[in-house]
Amino acid sequence: MLARLRTFTLLGIDAVPVEVEVDVSPGAIPKTVLVGLPEAAVRESQHRVERAIANSGFIRPQDKIVINLAPADLPKNAASLDLAITLGILAGSGQLADDRLSQYAVVGELALDGSTRPTKGALSMAIAAASLEGLRGILVPEANAAEAAVVDTVEVIPVSSLSQAAAFLAGQLDIEPTPPRLDQWFQQFAKYEVDFSDVRGQEMAKRAVVIAAAGKHNLLMIGPPGSGKTMLAKRMPTILPDLSAAESIETTRIYSVVGKLEPGQPLLATRPYRSPHHTISEPGLVGGGSPPGPGEISLAHNGCLFLDELPEFNRRTLEVLRQPLEDGHVTISRALGTSTFPADFIFLAALNPCPCGYRNDPRRECHCSVPQIERYMQKISGPLIDRVDIHIEVPAVPFKDLSDGPPGTSSATMRESVVAARRVQQARFAGTRTRQNGQMSHRQVREHCKLNAEGMNLMKAAMSELGLSARAHDKILRVARTIADLDGSAAIQPGNVSEAINYRMLDRQLWT
């Protein structure tokens, strides 16, 4: 007897439909044949399936069982096929009525006792199920039900065991679909544990952080150890606009696929913040492996990626950031296929001004020679620095500010300015793919960043004295446009241009 079920496997962060065909026919020797490019996790499922059938009160057929996973040329590498394969065997052997088999897709890993275990990528699978014609819903492990229920256009049926799934598909048991609770989850999880009011002093640095957040500009901070660079970076997400539902689902998909969703939290409601160690590899940063999986830059999608002690990173590892910083996505090519992952983030970086960290610090003496400083700074390539819009100095905080100074500007106050500037940009770029000033194309820069005579003279002098590239020229104009938006000015004023030029610290010859 032949049985067919629909399920999904993961390819990158996308779920690909898979049809499970199970044929149970009389044979002299009981045998199970699994075909359709199953990877190790799927091949090993035969043993889990056999014990789950027996321990759930069903009978393992003493016949020849052929299981085909179609399409045959797509590698299947997820344990989430367990439940579909098992239900196919039960239907093919006549132990399960197929009243609802054609209406529901099935995903889930099985334990030996027949209970279901959570699987990665449940949200992507629910999205894929909603796009398939003829599917009424999807059966998922109970632990994944809330995550999958984010998709409100498909019924999400939570099942805790093989027996429960079989009873539901046979029409013997009715299970209420898990309702979506987006508003409740956003209210519950959209909270940050840090605030900019914790940062004493550094008001000038906070101004640069507001500009970076308002226009989605990349930011690099230079200063001695302990000056507050990491504190500023950690609090950047707190002043960004709230995640929209679409952004939240897009980011949650990535975390779901790599298994990084917190238990009990089906949805990301805050902007992601990622800060990998400087020993990270190239695949760990941008993604890779076989099949390719997302890296840190994709986990920072719609949020912030912070690289502390930037010169300590491997130079080759940093160089792979060039293309994602420009395009907002990364494409990983392998022999078996190509995967594209979203990587639209604000890039934050911090470094010391010299190897010892105390150059230009009035409190400590620096013993680094000029050649040592040059070698230290040369670990970061010019093309990468060119892609960073804002370079600022973060000096040490005086004792008076730490002990008696007033509390720092709060995240709520800073966010008001950011949201107001983002609203102006939203109106400016209505009808285009651009959303923020930092994403403007060269044509849009010429259209929206026109300067008066005084501003043109400032730019001309900066280009001549600093030796700026064409990319740096456009970066300055984009930052100046954001500063004007924050100031409520329709036109870019000379003061805006001057401030933007001052944020190009690493373009100057400061180290010799």
Side-chain angles (χ1 to χ4, degrees):
M1 184 175 175
L2 177 65
R4 287 189 176 92
L5 294 91
R6 284 189 274 190
T7 184
F8 300 93
T9 190
L10 293 172
L11 189 62
I13 62 171
D14 297 316
V16 182
V18 173
E19 186 173 35
V20 178
E21 299 176 323
V22 181
D23 182 75
V24 181
S25 56
I29 302 175
K31 184 179 182 182
T32 301
V33 179
L34 185 59
V35 295
L37 284 187
E39 299 290 340
V42 181
R43 289 196 301 269
E44 291 175 354
S45 69
Q46 296 180 49
H47 307 293
R48 292 192 297 272
V49 165
E50 288 180 7
R51 297 320 307 157
I53 289 174
N55 292 328
S56 298
F58 297 101
I59 300 172
R60 195 269 185 198
Q62 299 300 308
D63 298 308
K64 183 178 180 181
I65 304 172
V66 178
I67 304 166
N68 179 41
L69 307 176
D73 59 346
L74 176 71
K76 322 311 188 289
N77 58 359
S80 59
L81 300 177
D82 285 7
L83 186 56
I85 290 173
T86 309
L87 290 169
I89 292 174
L90 295 180
S93 60
Q95 300 179 69
L96 170 64
D98 57 357
D99 293 4
R100 296 174 173 172
L101 279 184
S102 61
Q103 302 175 39
Y104 291 88
V106 179
V107 296
E109 180 182 343
L110 287 177
L112 297 183
D113 62 356
S115 60
T116 57
R117 285 181 171 155
T119 185
K120 295 179 181 178
L123 177 55
S124 292
M125 294 176 184
I127 292 172
S131 65
L132 288 181
E133 291 185 9
L135 268 190
R136 181 176 168 186
I138 181 172
L139 273 67
V140 299
E142 199 167 27
N144 293 119
E147 174 194 336
V150 170
V151 184
D152 57 5
T153 55
V154 67
E155 291 183 9
V156 176
I157 308 297
V159 292
S160 58
S161 66
L162 171 61
S163 302
Q164 190 179 24
F168 174 80
L169 291 175
Q172 301 169 357
L173 174 68
D174 288 326
I175 303 175
E176 284 296 317
T178 302
R181 300 186 179 93
L182 289 180
D183 293 340
Q184 176 186 327
W185 294 328
F186 270 104
Q187 187 176 1
Q188 181 179 353
F189 299 114
K191 298 173 184 175
Y192 294 97
E193 297 179 356
V194 294
D195 193 279
F196 266 106
S197 60
D198 305 331
V199 183
R200 298 291 183 96
Q202 304 298 11
E203 293 302 314
M204 293 300 293
K206 287 184 181 180
R207 163 73 172 173
V209 169
V210 168
I211 294 169
K216 204 169 188 180
H217 302 291
N218 301 322
L219 172 68
L220 187 146
M221 296 173 282
I222 308 161
S227 58
K229 302 184 295 295
T230 303
M231 285 187 74
L232 290 166
K234 278 186 177 178
R235 285 153 180 77
M236 169 72 95
T238 67
I239 65 172
L240 294 172
D242 293 333
L243 275 176
S244 67
E247 288 176 326
S248 176
I249 291 172
E250 194 176 24
T251 308
T252 303
R253 283 181 66 196
I254 302 170
Y255 278 71
S256 172
V257 165
V258 297
K260 288 189 177 293
L261 277 180
E262 294 291 332
Q265 182 176 349
L267 194 69
L268 284 179
T270 56
R271 300 270 175 184
Y273 170 82
R274 304 295 299 179
S275 180
H277 192 259
H278 61 78
T279 56
I280 191 171
S281 64
E282 295 167 41
L285 186 62
V286 300
S290 183
E296 287 289 337
I297 63 173
S298 296
L299 292 171
H301 181 59
N302 289 322
C304 303
L305 175 72
F306 177 53
L307 301 187
D308 201 5
E309 305 295 346
L310 190 64
E312 301 301 328
F313 283 79
N314 184 293
R315 180 164 176 150
R316 278 191 57 186
T317 303
L318 291 178
E319 292 307 296
V320 298
L321 283 175
R322 290 196 204 175
Q323 179 258 335
L325 283 175
E326 291 289 314
D327 298 342
H329 60 82
V330 61
T331 300
I332 309 294
S333 298
R334 294 290 182 266
L336 293 177
T338 299
S339 297
T340 299
F341 303 119
D344 190 7
F345 56 90
I346 296 179
F347 176 59
L348 308 173
L351 68 153
N352 297 325
C354 65
C356 78
Y358 295 103
R359 187 171 179 82
N360 298 329
D361 189 341
R363 306 170 306 167
R364 301 283 293 269
E365 184 178 355
C366 172
H367 299 285
C368 302
S369 65
V370 171
Q372 283 179 311
I373 297 172
E374 288 180 343
R375 281 196 300 271
Y376 179 73
M377 296 304 296
Q378 284 171 359
K379 293 180 181 178
I380 313 168
S381 71
L384 182 62
I385 292 296
D386 219 26
R387 285 166 166 79
V388 180
D389 309 51
I390 300 174
H391 320 150
I392 60 166
E393 184 176 10
V394 184
V397 182
F399 173 76
K400 183 180 179 181
D401 290 345
L402 290 174
S403 58
D404 302 327
T409 307
S410 69
S411 292
T413 303
M414 296 167 70
R415 183 194 277 185
E416 288 176 6
S417 300
V418 171
V419 171
R422 289 277 183 110
R423 202 174 291 123
V424 172
Q425 296 166 59
Q426 188 176 7
R428 176 182 298 131
F429 301 121
T432 70
R433 297 180 63 184
T434 304
R435 291 292 176 267
Q436 288 84 33
N437 291 333
Q439 301 171 323
M440 278 193 285
S441 65
H442 180 65
R443 180 180 298 175
Q444 289 172 324
V445 169
R446 286 184 295 176
E447 179 183 351
H448 299 296
C449 302
K450 295 175 181 176
L451 304 179
N452 58 22
E454 188 178 350
M456 290 290 287
N457 289 335
L458 284 170
M459 280 299 299
K460 183 177 179 181
M463 292 289 291
S464 174
E465 293 175 13
L466 303 181
L468 300 178
S469 68
R471 180 186 285 115
H473 168 273
D474 283 2
K475 294 282 187 189
I476 289 175
L477 290 178
R478 291 185 183 107
V479 173
R481 177 68 269 173
T482 301
I483 296 171
D485 290 342
L486 285 167
D487 293 346
S489 174
I492 298 177
Q493 304 300 323
N496 305 144
V497 179
S498 178
E499 183 177 357
I501 292 171
N502 285 332
Y503 290 138
R504 298 296 298 183
M505 182 178 181
L506 289 184
D507 290 326
R508 305 174 205 149
Q509 298 296 321
L510 297 179
W511 316 109
T512 58

